[in-house]
Every structure is written in structure tokens, then in C-alpha cells.
Amino acid sequence: MQLYEGDSYRNMYDTEEYNSMIERQKYVLDEKYFSRREITELPEGYILETAVYGDTEQVGKSHFVTKAALVKCTLKRSGETVHEWISTYSHPREFTEFIQHSNGHKYYPFHVDLYGISFLELDTLKVFNYVPEGYQHDSEYPLGESFIITDLHYDINTDFIAFGGCFWAGTYDVMVMKLPDPLDFEMKMVGIHDIIEPDWDIYDDIDFAEWRGDKLLVTAYENRDKVEFAVEIAEIEKRLK
């Protein structure tokens, strides 16, 4: 994570600071602040319902400021509620696949914030929410910038998971960490861009391609030409120590 050395991996979820932030915005969970509802179909008969609420204020002729925004998320199956949560980010990219872990359990990944990742163990309904403290944030706001996860790719043979995404307004990268237990982990990651090009001056977006044996395959672009790299898992393990 060369670009953001000093990132705090401290989990802010359910801390006093985080809960206070949520409480200040809960007033928007009212019909007068309702914005839209969406339904996402998931595997095995599950569906995800999201209801977006927001309080905006017009400043000037065409500029709007969001004073508070929350998303009420409900995971359902056969019409029954399986799990509910509140997300602080009103434009989430919902995950539509489950993870079959090497421990025998199946997990649904989701977001409670723009940053971090959460996992729901589908057979036990145990859940772990992770929202990192991040980097360089206002003292009045408990979260700072960290890696934004847009896609994830778990390898059942090694328990490594690759996260696709970016830092805000930055180029896409792939971050990798070990995931022996989705219900108890520290989000300490290795950036693949830092491995294949530490100076960050040649390649633009780096995307996940596949796990293949003892390697992680990614693709990058140089002057619109697609280039493929194979990164040894042993190299990733060394950098995680």
C-alpha cells in the first residue's frame, strides 16, 4: 500500500465514534426522505432489497448538498428476512455472488460503508463487519480514505482473496490478503501495482484475471495495449509478513 502508507487498519465498526455518526443520520429513515428502492437477484433464491433515504439541501440554483444519507438493506429468501443492515453509502455496488470457503461455510459479502467489507455466514447468520479507520481524515469524522472494494475473488485452494477497486478518483488496482476466517480478520493487504510497478509511471488500471495454481494473474494497460502479469503467491505472502 505504497500510495497510502500510514493507513490505519483499526476496525471502526460498532465503535463509539462510528455509532455516533450513524445515530446523527438515522432521522432520514423516514418516508419523507425516501428516494428509491431497488431489488437485486442473488443465487439460490436470495434477493437483496435496498431502500435509499437522503436529506439534501439546495445551495444556489443548481447545487445540492447532502446533509445525511442512509440505505436500509434487507436480504431475503422465500419472502422471509434473513439479515438486515444499514449502509452509509447511497450508491453501493452490490455483490451478486456467494463465497464457498475452505472451512465449509458459504458467505455473502456486502458493504455497510463505502470502505471496508462485511461477510454474512449464510447457514449460521453470523456476521462480521469491517470498516477501516483509513488515512488522513477530519477529526470530526471517524473514517478516512482507504481502498474502495468493487469486486472480490476468493481462492479456495490458498485462502487468499483478491479485491478489485481503487482509492478515490485513482486508477484501479488489485489488493490481496489472506482470509482464513471471514468472521475474524485484519484487513492487511498487498497492492499488486506495488509489486509489478512500484513507481506507478507506466501502467494504468490493473484488473484481476484469475487464480492459476500458485500464481495470481492480472491485466494492465500500457498505451491501450493489454498486458498480462503473473504474480507468485509466495511473493504476496512474503510482503504480508
Side-chain angles (χ1 to χ4, degrees):
M1 200 175 295
Q2 179 178 315
L3 285 187
Y4 285 83
E5 292 181 1
D7 274 28
S8 170
Y9 290 107
R10 177 191 173 199
N11 188 4
M12 297 298 293
Y13 187 82
D14 207 27
T15 61
E16 182 178 347
E17 303 100 309
Y18 186 86
N19 291 342
S20 177
M21 178 187 71
I22 299 297
E23 287 299 321
R24 289 196 300 270
Q25 300 183 74
K26 274 191 174 180
Y27 74 91
V28 300
L29 297 176
D30 184 280
E31 279 302 310
K32 68 179 180 179
Y33 297 113
F34 175 77
S35 173
R36 66 184 185 277
R37 189 182 310 275
E38 298 179 0
I39 295 178
T40 303
E41 294 186 1
L42 303 175
E44 302 177 21
Y46 287 88
I47 65 168
L48 178 64
E49 294 184 358
T50 55
V52 180
Y53 299 82
D55 181 10
T56 60
E57 179 180 2
Q58 185 170 353
V59 181
K61 293 184 178 180
S62 59
H63 185 61
F64 291 83
V65 175
T66 300
K67 298 168 65 177
L70 291 175
V71 184
K72 184 178 180 181
C73 306
T74 307
L75 181 67
K76 293 184 176 181
R77 193 182 194 191
S78 302
E80 300 292 327
T81 296
V82 175
H83 185 61
E84 290 184 310
W85 65 94
I86 297 295
S87 174
T88 63
Y89 188 58
S90 60
H91 301 282
R93 184 179 186 273
E94 308 296 352
F95 298 109
T96 57
E97 295 181 356
F98 298 151
I99 291 175
Q100 182 62 57
H101 197 274
S102 64
N103 64 14
H105 294 283
K106 191 176 294 183
Y107 298 88
Y108 177 57
F110 61 95
H111 284 298
V112 297
D113 192 87
L114 172 62
Y115 302 113
I117 189 70
S118 298
F119 291 101
L120 172 68
E121 198 169 72
L122 289 170
D123 57 339
T124 68
L125 300 186
K126 295 178 181 178
V127 64
F128 184 73
N129 298 294
Y130 192 100
V131 182
E133 184 176 23
Y135 173 85
Q136 266 190 356
H137 54 84
D138 189 297
S139 60
E140 295 181 0
Y141 190 70
L143 304 176
E145 185 170 359
S146 57
F147 191 71
I148 302 169
I149 298 171
T150 59
D151 52 275
L152 47 80
H153 312 272
Y154 170 73
D155 181 29
I156 197 170
N157 297 309
T158 63
D159 278 344
F160 273 105
I161 188 165
F163 296 115
C166 65
F167 290 100
W168 188 266
T171 57
Y172 269 70
D173 197 2
V174 175
M175 308 291 283
V176 184
M177 75 176 196
K178 199 79 169 178
L179 190 68
D181 184 358
L183 298 182
D184 184 18
F185 61 86
E186 179 187 19
M187 204 166 178
K188 187 174 183 179
M189 304 180 292
V190 171
I192 298 303
H193 210 146
D194 289 338
I195 294 178
I196 65 176
E197 193 212 356
D199 293 331
W200 287 71
D201 59 2
I202 299 176
Y203 302 109
D204 293 325
D205 296 339
I206 293 180
D207 298 309
F208 174 88
E210 65 172 303
W211 292 104
R212 184 184 296 173
D214 60 353
K215 297 179 178 62
L216 166 63
L217 273 60
V218 297
T219 57
Y221 291 88
E222 180 182 4
N223 298 324
R224 297 185 179 182
D225 293 327
K226 188 175 182 179
V227 184
E228 185 175 88
F229 293 91
V231 181
E232 300 280 348
I233 290 178
E235 177 64 24
I236 297 173
E237 288 181 318
K238 182 176 70 175
R239 290 173 180 250
L240 281 171
K241 292 180 178 178

